[in-house]
């Protein structure tokens, strides 16, 4: 039997064309004969019980914990990566793994009374076969599923994954030049994913890490207008801190506050500062009633069956 010259991995927008024995851009997907497989399938490089607000998700099951898990790998090369030791190819050989079957992950969530499982820390796209297997069992057990992702889906992956995920947090990191200069990628597949997920039944929140001296008011304004046009309801703007190869000074609270003001002009109803001491409470966009009070994580909510108790306005989210 002859072997095809190339096989295409459809896990992300790169569509790596692999010869026999070649490994994809992510360092995780490898071809062997007529099969492309995921290295160290089920080998978790990180797991933890987190407040769901740390994903960040502020409008999805607030006040609950989530079981967070990651396998190794990523399909971007962000110079500021916060989790480079479990995502970037140069660090793969030294990664420490603990192997779990999909059923064992679900049982771990149940044992720790977590109503959800989060696929996070690294980039779940590159180990989506394991993610989908875990999510399948999770949904059978009545658990919710969360994907924290850079959003650079292929069309095939977006269609494959969407039925299994209840809530997404997607990074939109900057404009196209920012992706080219700092991420080794493209914003185009990310926008396609956002525009696909925002009108769907899945919950969606967006995160942008703001780098002082790089992100501008014009960039944030442009991103905000496009997110609003797509139907996005929740946008987190987080402070940058030096990490990995990027050693620019940390973003100041003042600069973040200015960018949040610019973002609010987009008319997205819920905008939050992240990694910050700034006000992260949720207010009714109609009557301005304080609905959720937070100090780093969830503290108190007065939302009444997804509505503001004062004016009756529907509040986007999954609240119980």
């Amino acid at each position: 039997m002859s072997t095809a010259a190339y096989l295409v991995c459809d896990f992300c927008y790169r569509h790596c064309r692999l010869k026999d024995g070649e490994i994809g851009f992510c360092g995780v997907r490898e071809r062997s004969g007529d099969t492309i497989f995921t290295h160290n399938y089920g080998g978790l490089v990180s797991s933890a019980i987190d407040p769901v607000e740390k994903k960040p998700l502020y409008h999805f099951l607030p006040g609950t914990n989530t079981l967070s898990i990651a396998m190794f790998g990523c399909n971007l090369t962000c110079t500021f990566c916060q989790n480079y030791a479990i995502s970037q190819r140069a660090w793969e050989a030294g990664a420490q793994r603990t192997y779990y079957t999909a059923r064992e992950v679900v049982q771990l969530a149940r044992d720790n009374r977590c109503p959800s499982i989060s696929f996070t820390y690294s980039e779940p796209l590159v180990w989506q076969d394991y993610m989908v297997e875990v999510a399948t069992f999770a949904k059978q057990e009545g658990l919710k599923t969360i994907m924290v992702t850079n959003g650079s889906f292929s069309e095939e992956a977006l269609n494959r994954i969407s039925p299994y995920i209840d809530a997404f947090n997607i990074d939109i990191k900057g404009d196209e030049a920012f992706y080219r200069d700092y991420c080794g990628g493209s914003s185009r597949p990310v926008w396609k994913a956002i525009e696909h997920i925002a009108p769907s039944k899945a919950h969606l929140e967006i995160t942008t890490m703001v780098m002082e001296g790089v992100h501008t008011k014009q960039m944030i304004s442009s991103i905000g207008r496009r997110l609003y046009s797509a139907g996005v309801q929740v946008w987190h703007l987080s402070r940058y801190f030096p990490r990995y190869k990027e050693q620019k000074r940390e973003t100041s609270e003042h600069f973040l506050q200015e960018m949040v003001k610019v973002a609010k002009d987009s008319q997205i109803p819920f905008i939050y500062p992240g990694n910050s001491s700034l006000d992260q409470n949720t207010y009714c966009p109609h009557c301005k009633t304080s609905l959720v009070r937070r100090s780093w994580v969830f503290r108190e909510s007065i939302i009444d069956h997804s509505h503001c108790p004062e004016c009756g306005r529907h509040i986007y989210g999954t609240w119980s």
Side-chain angles (χ1 to χ4, degrees):
M1 178 182 290
S2 61
T3 300
Y6 295 96
L7 290 181
V8 176
C9 177
D10 66 3
F11 272 26
C12 81
Y13 82 105
R14 293 186 185 277
H15 284 104
C16 291
R17 300 173 71 239
L18 303 178
K19 296 179 181 178
D20 194 14
E22 282 189 331
I23 299 174
F25 185 92
C26 63
V28 175
R29 301 282 290 158
E30 180 177 357
R31 178 181 172 183
S32 177
D34 290 328
T35 302
I36 299 175
F37 68 96
T38 300
H39 279 290
N40 296 299
Y41 187 92
L44 300 187
V45 292
S46 186
S47 63
I49 308 300
D50 292 324
V52 73
E53 288 83 3
K54 287 182 67 176
K55 295 304 96 188
L57 289 174
Y58 278 15
H59 288 236
F60 188 80
L61 301 180
T64 67
N65 287 334
T66 184
L67 173 64
S68 299
I69 64 169
M71 283 177 56
F72 190 92
C74 189
N75 61 340
L76 296 181
T77 57
C78 298
T79 58
F80 50 83
C81 182
Q82 303 296 294
N83 292 312
Y84 63 92
I86 61 170
S87 65
Q88 299 300 302
R89 286 188 70 167
W91 299 80
E92 195 272 339
Q96 300 296 311
R97 296 175 172 85
T98 304
Y99 287 84
Y100 286 85
T101 67
R103 290 187 183 276
E104 287 172 337
V105 170
V106 172
Q107 189 60 49
L108 186 62
R110 289 176 60 86
D111 290 345
N112 286 278
R113 299 183 179 180
C114 295
S116 66
I117 297 174
S118 292
F119 309 101
T120 181
Y121 300 143
S122 62
E123 179 44 59
L125 276 174
V126 306
W127 39 274
Q128 64 187 257
D129 43 359
Y130 182 69
M131 177 178 67
V132 168
E133 185 185 7
V134 173
T136 299
F137 289 121
K139 294 180 83 65
Q140 289 174 2
E141 294 296 319
L143 302 180
K144 298 295 186 183
T145 53
I146 296 166
M147 183 181 186
V148 182
T149 174
N150 65 35
S152 57
F153 294 79
S154 63
E155 184 175 351
E156 299 94 331
L158 192 56
N159 292 330
R160 179 185 303 125
I161 291 169
S162 292
Y164 298 95
I165 301 297
D166 297 297
F168 293 86
N169 186 292
I170 297 180
D171 284 351
I172 183 69
K173 299 174 186 290
D175 58 16
E176 188 65 15
F178 184 90
Y179 274 83
R180 181 189 64 239
D181 296 340
Y182 290 92
C183 306
S186 171
S187 66
R188 289 188 288 273
V190 186
W191 282 114
K192 287 182 180 179
I194 290 170
E195 290 161 358
H196 175 92
I197 293 169
S200 74
K201 293 182 179 180
H203 182 85
L204 175 64
E205 301 187 24
I206 303 297
T207 299
T208 301
M209 187 201 69
V210 177
M211 190 182 294
E212 190 167 355
V214 178
H215 289 83
T216 64
K217 290 182 178 180
Q218 292 77 13
M219 190 190 303
I220 295 300
S221 179
S222 176
I223 291 171
R225 289 194 302 270
R226 190 164 180 182
L227 290 174
Y228 177 78
S229 179
V232 169
Q233 300 285 303
V234 184
W235 187 17
H236 303 265
L237 279 73
S238 297
R239 289 175 69 199
Y240 156 81
F241 289 88
R243 186 73 167 161
Y244 193 33
K245 298 178 181 179
E246 202 59 62
Q247 295 301 313
K248 291 180 174 60
R249 67 184 178 92
E250 69 184 52
T251 296
S252 66
E253 293 270 17
H254 174 74
F255 185 79
L256 182 65
Q257 190 171 35
E258 289 299 307
M259 293 301 102
V260 168
K261 289 179 181 178
V262 171
K264 287 182 176 180
D265 289 339
S266 68
Q267 300 184 64
I268 293 171
F270 303 102
I271 295 176
Y272 300 103
N275 295 330
S276 167
S277 62
L278 298 175
D279 185 356
Q280 298 177 44
N281 295 338
T282 297
Y283 299 91
C284 175
H286 180 66
C287 71
K288 309 307 177 186
T289 296
S290 177
L291 299 174
V292 182
R293 297 183 179 91
R294 300 183 182 88
S295 176
W296 294 104
V297 293
F298 174 85
R299 286 296 180 267
E300 181 184 6
S301 172
I302 62 169
I303 292 173
D304 183 16
H305 297 91
S306 299
H307 291 83
C308 172
E310 293 296 322
C311 70
R313 174 75 173 261
H314 180 265
I315 306 300
Y316 176 79
T318 300
W319 299 103
S320 63

